[in-house]
Amino acid sequence: MLTRLLSRRLRKVAQADLCASLVVFLVALPLCVGVAMASGVPAELGLVTGIVGGLVAGVLPGSSLQVSGPAAGLTVLVFEAVHAYGLAALGVIVLAAGLVQLGLGALRLGRWFRAVSVAVVQGMLAGIGLVLVAGQVYALGDAAAPPGGLGKLAGLVALPGKVDPVALSVGGATMVVLLLWGRWRRGARLVPAPLLAVALASGVTWAFDLEVRRVEVRGLWEVVRVPQAADLGRLTEVGVVGTVVAFALIASAESLFSAAAVDRLHDGRRTDYDRELMAQGAGNAVCGVLGALPMTAVIVRSAANVQAGARTKASRVLHGVWLLLFTAVVPGVLGVIPVAALAGLLVHAGCKLVPVREVRKLWCGHRGELLVLGVTAVAIVVGNLFEGVLVGLALAVAKTAWEISHVHVETEDRGEAGIVVRVMGHATFLRLPKLLDALDALPADREVRLELGGLRHVDHACAAALEGWAAARERREGRQGEVAAGSPAA
């Protein structure tokens, strides 16, 4: 009897995982191709990354239901890297980034990525979304996009005269289907909106033989390129090393934030952040050996996996199997897909990266965090992804330092006994002007007792300033001043 119950339960779990894997495959297929096209690399490389995300990262421990693959959040960085160093260097950059992730996971630093300011992450996603939308608007009309985030935004003024109306209609219709079909929850569960939108656009383009640009297909093995010894030598270049660090840190942060979000969607085993970071690193190392795109955990595919009823990691592994079979058996189908349809898909994805709801919440209660979000996004649009994230992190640290540097000065007039001044809180250089202004405002003809026992922290700048103030007051009074013993905590 017990054996029958176990067998029946295993069959139910297997059925649930099989159905979920097919749903994730249908969601991942157009996104893998679209992300590759937006990154400026052959479409097949996006599928290779999706396959590795299922067959390599999917098998390894860490998160049980999270699905990995190429993500829209890295398109801007990949495009910049390919433009600066060439497609041949992409593999070695991704390989090195994967090894960095493996090292971070082995050192058990995965949990520390949760300490990254949420405002910086949201600003990073907003900046990526804006640049992605600005770039894909050109592809909607089969027009060439100018380089740089500012160049893309400035070029939008002259864009209407350059677009192909037929391609624009295909891309626009794709976005309409995405919006309308996605609102019908029952229908979206049966057929994912991205698949339906791209399939309809491809069918109409093929049926009416529309003259629009389509995905170029070269075959899986033609685009896979193992890094050579000369490519490994690029790791001595400062710019390449900076790109490797950016790939590793941003992909890790995105994956682990996604893991935290996915854990809220189910009641199963929680994510082990260090193991998940190592799984992502192993997957990226394999992607680098194959010359493919970098991978991260993707919240859209992961949420689809959970909502489709997945029970174990078998669903994400099987989705990689379906991607591999599709790429090996019917790769020619990709050549039917219009680029404008994929652009519509990515414009929709880019808009969803902009955290509109979070902006409203921050405006009501945390405007300092909103400033960090906005500056990070603008820095990414004006500069590049790596510099923008660094600016955001620096601003977040400065904001936190300012907020915790609260120093409070209390004065008590005891008549003939003089004035007692108590300094409490955190005395740092950021609050030094306030502290000195309060001390300088004390009457020069009264005896002052300075009590510092209420200070929980005092940095070197404030300690030196307090000593200098006390010494100057002693010289003015011509007698020994009194400073209370009561040392601040370290």
Side-chain angles (χ1 to χ4, degrees):
M1 185 68 179
L2 181 60
T3 306
R4 286 184 182 179
L5 288 174
L6 288 173
S7 177
R8 190 176 300 170
R9 184 170 183 179
L10 287 174
R11 280 200 301 270
K12 287 183 178 179
V13 170
Q15 276 184 336
D17 286 336
L18 178 62
C19 293
S21 71
L22 290 170
V23 171
V24 177
F25 159 69
L26 296 175
V27 172
L29 179 61
L31 289 173
C32 286
V33 177
V35 169
M37 297 295 294
S39 301
V41 304
E44 292 88 346
L45 290 182
L47 292 170
V48 171
T49 301
I51 293 167
V52 173
L55 301 184
V56 178
V59 174
L60 297 175
S63 175
S64 58
L65 300 181
Q66 185 164 250
V67 182
S68 300
L74 285 177
T75 51
V76 175
L77 189 56
V78 173
F79 184 87
E80 291 173 353
V82 172
H83 180 74
Y85 308 112
L87 183 59
L90 179 62
V92 72
I93 291 174
V94 176
L95 170 60
L99 295 177
V100 171
Q101 287 181 299
L102 282 169
L104 294 174
L107 294 173
R108 303 184 64 80
L109 297 177
R111 67 195 69 183
W112 288 100
F113 278 89
R114 289 180 290 176
V116 177
S117 169
V118 176
V120 174
V121 176
Q122 291 174 340
M124 178 189 76
L125 294 176
I128 291 169
L130 292 173
V131 175
L132 184 61
V133 170
Q136 293 305 305
V137 164
Y138 293 87
L140 273 175
D142 280 355
L150 283 179
K152 291 181 176 66
L153 292 175
L156 293 176
V157 178
L159 182 61
K162 300 178 181 178
V163 298
D164 180 356
V166 177
L168 185 61
S169 300
V170 171
T174 302
M175 294 177 63
V176 171
V177 173
L178 280 170
L179 292 171
L180 296 181
W181 189 261
R183 291 185 177 181
W184 186 27
R185 295 184 179 179
R186 186 176 178 183
R189 289 177 182 174
L190 295 173
V191 182
L195 179 70
L196 179 68
V198 174
L200 286 175
S202 303
V204 170
T205 302
W206 175 78
F208 292 95
D209 195 22
L210 300 180
E211 294 185 2
V212 296
R213 189 160 63 97
R214 306 185 189 189
V215 175
E216 296 180 6
V217 181
R218 285 189 277 175
L220 187 63
W221 301 114
E222 284 74 11
V223 298
V224 170
R225 182 182 183 277
V226 178
Q228 306 298 313
D231 299 324
L232 295 174
R234 302 295 299 271
L235 292 175
T236 59
E237 300 177 21
V238 176
V240 173
V241 173
T243 304
V244 168
V245 173
F247 269 52
L249 296 183
I250 293 173
S252 300
E254 189 169 343
S255 295
L256 297 181
F257 271 98
S258 173
V262 173
D263 281 348
R264 299 190 192 102
L265 300 178
H266 65 90
D267 299 323
R269 183 182 299 175
R270 304 292 94 179
T271 298
D272 184 319
Y273 286 88
D274 296 318
R275 289 185 174 184
E276 178 63 18
L277 186 55
M278 293 187 74
Q280 295 294 323
N284 272 320
V286 174
C287 287
V289 170
L290 299 175
L293 290 171
M295 58 172 264
T296 71
V298 188
I299 187 62
V300 175
R301 275 160 258 183
S302 302
N305 190 38
V306 175
Q307 292 165 2
R311 305 284 185 85
T312 70
K313 64 176 64 177
S315 60
R316 61 185 191 178
V317 176
L318 284 173
H319 116 274
V321 173
W322 307 141
L323 284 174
L324 177 60
L325 289 176
F326 174 86
T327 309
V329 177
V330 285
V333 174
L334 297 177
V336 182
I337 301 176
V339 172
L342 294 176
L345 180 65
L346 289 170
V347 167
H348 181 260
C351 290
K352 292 177 72 174
L353 287 175
V354 180
V356 178
R357 293 181 180 177
E358 284 72 14
V359 167
R360 292 174 182 170
K361 293 178 182 177
L362 293 176
W363 176 258
C364 295
H366 304 279
R367 296 189 181 181
E369 292 291 301
L370 181 60
L371 176 64
V372 174
L373 188 156
V375 170
T376 304
V378 171
I380 290 173
V381 173
V382 174
N384 57 53
L385 185 59
F386 187 49
E387 293 173 355
V389 171
L390 289 180
V391 169
L393 288 173
L395 183 60
V397 170
K399 170 185 166 294
T400 302
W402 176 261
E403 289 179 345
I404 66 172
S405 297
H406 288 297
V407 62
H408 181 60
V409 181
E410 281 186 0
T411 59
E412 180 184 352
D413 192 339
R414 294 184 177 179
E416 294 182 359
I419 299 174
V420 176
V421 178
R422 302 182 185 90
V423 183
M424 296 167 287
H426 297 79
T428 70
F429 70 95
L430 295 172
R431 301 292 183 174
L432 188 54
K434 174 184 177 181
L435 177 59
L436 291 178
D437 286 346
L439 295 176
D440 290 340
L442 295 171
D445 57 346
R446 301 286 301 278
E447 182 179 344
V448 174
R449 175 183 174 87
L450 186 59
E451 295 184 353
L452 305 179
L455 281 176
R456 286 175 286 177
H457 173 78
V458 56
D459 65 7
H460 177 72
C462 282
L466 288 171
E467 291 175 1
W469 177 85
R473 190 170 184 91
E474 289 173 5
R475 287 194 299 270
R476 285 199 307 269
E477 294 177 353
R479 56 185 172 79
Q480 185 70 25
E482 184 180 10
V483 177
S487 57

